[in-house]
């Protein structure tokens, strides 16, 4: 996966955690942010391969500010990568099945909160987390709206035959990790197996263009357009 250069992606602080929940009988942790009104639709935020960093916590806070109850599960158990080599090893050490299991536990926790007003949740993820958005939505019908940002699929495509979520995806046309040409096959697999038309949008940008902590790839215009579309999509599909 081309997510370089090898520069630190955290401030040296551990992953953000302020909540514990059950994941198939074992404790898991995450970062929960509530909206100003105190309640709203639920959204899961899924980390990049760096971990539950300042950037992911900030996205979670931004969603809360827009009226959502947002939860970012910590897939790395408190660890944060400081370079791409470490991030790759940490991603490889997390089996997709375990990641989805943990995320499903987070979905259950979110829907059980009295502050959550929606019957389904949204899932927004980035890079590795964008791939997990699709894996989670394919397996968990409690996900009603899926938003992968430059989602990296690890291995085989998910089985989308049980997918219930509408999908809005954001991709960069200069992304070497996810060539734009591959999106047609992904869109077709989703349509053929679930009947759902995925809305994949391509921006004049690189991989990780939404990460404003990475000035070498951050694209302000593309990020703002993708963010506005994401908010509208979540508000339209969660009730």
């Amino acid at each position: 996966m081309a997510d370089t250069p090898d520069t630190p992606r955290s401030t040296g602080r551990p992953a953000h955690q302020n909540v514990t929940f059950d994941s198939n009988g074992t404790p898991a942790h995450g970062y929960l942010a509530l909206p100003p009104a105190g309640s709203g639709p639920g959204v899961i935020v899924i980390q990049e391969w760096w971990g539950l960093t300042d950037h992911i916590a900030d996205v979670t806070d931004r969603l809360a500010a827009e009226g959502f109850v947002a939860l970012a599960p910590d897939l790395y158990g408190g660890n944060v990568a400081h370079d791409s080599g470490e991030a790759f090893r940490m991603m490889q050490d997390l089996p997709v099945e375990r990641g989805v299991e943990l995320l499903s536990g987070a979905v259950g926790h979110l829907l059980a909160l009295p502050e959550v007003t929606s019957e389904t949740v949204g899932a927004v993820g980035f890079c590795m987390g964008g791939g997990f958005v699709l894996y989670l939505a394919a397996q968990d019908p409690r996900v009603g709206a899926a938003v992968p940002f430059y989602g990296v699929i690890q291995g085989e495509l998910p089985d989308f035959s049980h997918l219930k979520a509408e999908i809005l995806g954001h991709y960069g046309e200069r992304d070497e990790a996810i060539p734009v040409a591959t999106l047609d096959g992904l869109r077709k697999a989703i349509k053929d197996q679930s009947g759902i038309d995925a809305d994949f949008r391509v921006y004049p940008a690189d991989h990780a263009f939404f990460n404003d902590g990475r000035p070498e790839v951050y694209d302000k215009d593309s990020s703002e357009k993708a963010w506005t579309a994401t908010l509208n999509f979540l508000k339209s599909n969660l009730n």
Side-chain angles (χ1 to χ4, degrees):
M1 178 170 56
D3 201 354
T4 54
D6 279 346
T7 52
R9 296 302 166 215
S10 78
T11 61
R13 295 195 297 271
H16 292 260
Q17 294 181 354
N18 64 1
V19 66
T20 300
F21 57 91
D22 178 78
S23 176
N24 196 29
T26 61
H29 308 280
Y31 178 70
L32 178 70
L34 298 178
S39 63
V43 177
I44 297 289
V45 183
I46 311 179
Q47 68 191 53
E48 296 174 301
W49 68 345
W50 306 111
L52 211 176
T53 59
D54 293 346
H55 170 60
I56 297 302
D58 178 64
V59 172
T60 307
D61 287 337
R62 290 173 63 185
L63 283 165
E66 293 291 341
F68 299 98
V69 178
L71 171 62
D74 187 349
L75 298 181
Y76 289 166
N79 297 309
V80 174
H82 292 79
D83 60 60
S84 60
E86 185 180 17
F88 180 75
R89 289 191 297 272
M90 291 165 73
M91 181 182 72
Q92 292 294 102
D93 288 343
L94 177 67
V96 169
E97 295 78 10
R98 173 54 186 154
V100 172
E101 181 180 69
L102 192 155
L103 292 167
S104 288
V107 170
H109 176 74
L110 197 57
L111 287 173
L113 293 176
E115 295 87 355
V116 173
T117 60
S118 56
E119 296 183 359
T120 60
V121 304
V124 179
F126 307 85
C127 182
M128 177 191 79
F132 269 119
V133 163
L134 295 176
Y135 282 110
L136 176 65
Q139 296 186 38
D140 196 327
R142 297 174 298 176
V143 177
V147 187
F149 278 75
Y150 32 87
V152 173
I153 299 293
Q154 302 177 56
E156 299 296 322
L157 289 179
D159 176 2
F160 292 108
S161 58
H162 299 292
L163 177 73
K164 300 298 182 184
E166 296 296 325
I167 298 176
L168 171 65
H170 305 295
Y171 299 87
E173 66 180 15
R174 298 190 298 270
D175 189 341
E176 296 180 0
I178 311 161
V180 172
T182 65
L183 297 180
D184 287 341
L186 178 58
R187 185 186 293 107
K188 184 176 187 302
I190 293 170
K191 176 66 174 179
D192 289 349
Q193 295 174 29
S194 70
I196 290 174
D197 289 310
D199 181 0
F200 291 153
R201 303 185 184 184
V202 178
Y203 303 82
D206 298 290
H207 187 77
F209 68 83
F210 190 77
N211 191 335
D212 55 6
R214 298 189 56 194
E216 75 278 11
V217 291
Y218 175 64
D219 186 291
K220 185 175 185 293
D221 184 61
S222 296
S223 293
E224 290 177 351
K225 289 178 180 176
W227 182 247
T228 298
T230 295
L231 294 176
N232 291 336
F233 177 77
L234 293 173
K235 291 173 181 177
S236 296
N237 287 283
L238 299 177
N239 50 53

